[in-house]
Amino acid sequence: LLFCTLAAEKKDVWVNIYIHGTITPHLSISDFLKVLNHTQKKSIYAEITRFIRTDPFFHQAQPIQELNLKKAFPTKSQKGHGANIFAEFYDKISKMIASDNHEIKHYTFGWSGLLSNTSRRKSAKKLFEQLHRKLKKMEMQNLHPHVRIIGYSHGGTLALDLGDEAQKNRPFPFCIEELILISTPIQEDTKKYVLSPFFKKVFSFYSKGDCVQGSDFLSSPDHSFSHQKFLDKADFKVPHKVTQI
C-alpha cells in the first residue's frame, strides 16, 4: 500500500531523445569498398565524417550535439543550436495540441554517424546503458518518466537496435512508449525488433519519392536493399502497434 501511494505521487514526465542520421560525405572507390566490407574504421571517409560530426556549423539545421546522451535546452535557442531549436518547437506544438501538458525533457544522442551496422549496434548498447542510468536517476527524484525516441534516417535504425539490447536485459528495465521513425531505411536485420514489447507504439514516416531511404545496401549485414516501409511477408507480419504515414 505504501509503495502504491508513493508511486501515485510521482510526477509524470516525457523524455524526448533525438537521434541524428548517417553523416555521408563523398565516398571514394577505396572507401566505398571499405564500407562494403565493414573495414572503414580508419579510412579517409571515417576521418572526414568525424570532422563533420564535431563541426558546430553542421549542427544548425538538425538536433545534433556531442557524442552520447546530452540535454537539449529549449529556452536557449541561440543561433547555431539546432537541437535547442527543435526542442523549443516541439514544446510549442505540444502545448497547442496536447491535453495533458506534461513536462518534456529533451535530449540528443550523438553517435559516429558512420554508414556502418557495427557502429549503430555499439551505439545502441551505449544508449541503452546511458538511458537506463538516466531513468533510474529520474525515478529517484520522484519522477515517472515516459520515453519517446525520434530517430532520423539511420538514427531510427539505431533506435530499433535497442530492441536487441532489451532482449539481452530481460526483464526490461524500461520501455520505449513511443518510437518515431523519420525516413528510416527498413532493413531485414533490424525490422524484426519492432515486434518486441520493448516498443509500445511505433510511428514510421516515409515518402515514396525518397530514393535515399531505400537505397542503402552497404550497411546491412547481408547487403540487401532497405525498404521505405515495413512490409508483410511470409515470415513477418507488421504488428498493429505500428502506424505508417
Side-chain angles (χ1 to χ4, degrees):
L1 179 62
L2 177 61
F3 173 80
C4 292
T5 303
L6 291 173
E9 293 175 352
K10 286 183 177 289
K11 178 184 176 183
D12 284 314
V13 60
W14 277 91
V15 178
N16 276 15
I17 302 172
Y18 306 87
I19 308 178
H20 65 84
T22 304
I23 300 167
T24 51
H26 176 71
L27 287 174
S28 66
I29 293 177
S30 173
D31 288 334
F32 178 90
L33 294 173
K34 288 178 181 178
V35 171
L36 188 65
N37 295 315
H38 308 292
T39 58
Q40 72 271 40
K41 189 174 181 180
K42 295 183 179 180
S43 66
I44 295 174
Y45 157 66
E47 284 301 303
I48 294 175
T49 298
R50 183 183 62 80
F51 176 78
I52 294 174
R53 172 72 186 72
T54 56
D55 189 336
F57 176 82
F58 296 99
H59 297 182
Q60 296 179 78
Q62 57 182 319
I64 180 173
Q65 299 185 100
E66 297 84 4
L67 295 173
N68 300 313
L69 197 61
K70 299 293 181 181
K71 186 78 182 287
F73 299 94
T75 57
K76 296 182 180 179
S77 53
Q78 303 167 15
K79 183 179 180 181
H81 290 268
N84 298 340
I85 294 170
F86 268 68
E88 183 175 357
F89 281 177
Y90 200 104
D91 275 354
K92 287 183 176 179
I93 294 171
S94 292
K95 288 175 182 177
M96 292 172 63
I97 64 174
S99 57
D100 49 38
N101 286 325
H102 288 146
E103 180 186 358
I104 304 174
K105 294 184 180 293
H106 300 273
Y107 296 84
T108 58
F109 180 75
W111 58 292
S112 71
L114 289 172
L115 191 61
S116 163
N117 174 63
T118 302
S119 179
R120 293 193 296 267
R121 291 272 182 167
K122 289 181 178 178
S123 298
K125 185 176 188 299
K126 283 186 179 181
L127 175 55
F128 189 91
E129 293 169 350
Q130 292 174 19
L131 182 54
H132 187 198
R133 290 196 296 269
K134 178 65 69 177
L135 296 177
K136 285 178 67 176
K137 185 176 180 180
M138 288 183 177
E139 288 167 357
M140 291 174 64
Q141 296 170 340
N142 212 33
L143 298 175
H144 181 208
H146 305 269
V147 182
R148 176 188 293 117
I149 292 183
I150 304 168
Y152 297 86
S153 187
H154 271 313
T157 312
L158 190 160
L160 286 170
D161 281 329
L162 288 172
D164 186 39
E165 287 302 316
Q167 290 299 117
K168 300 172 187 175
N169 291 273
R170 279 184 170 272
F172 301 150
F174 62 92
C175 289
I176 308 301
E177 295 201 27
E178 290 185 6
L179 172 61
I180 300 174
L181 307 174
I182 300 177
S183 297
T184 292
I186 308 303
Q187 297 183 320
E188 289 298 316
D189 64 309
T190 54
K191 70 177 185 181
K192 59 182 178 289
Y193 299 133
V194 80
L195 300 172
S196 172
F198 179 68
F199 301 112
K200 298 300 183 184
K201 292 182 180 179
V202 180
F203 302 90
S204 181
F205 292 83
Y206 69 96
S207 169
K208 293 179 180 179
D210 187 348
C211 298
V212 176
Q213 189 180 1
S215 64
D216 178 24
F217 66 92
L218 290 174
S219 70
S220 63
D222 61 355
H223 298 308
S224 61
F225 280 95
S226 53
H227 297 282
Q228 294 169 330
K229 59 183 293 189
F230 293 96
L231 301 170
D232 286 331
K233 290 189 176 182
D235 60 344
F236 178 84
K237 179 72 174 176
V238 181
H240 293 298
K241 66 179 178 181
V242 175
T243 301
Q244 305 197 82
I245 303 153

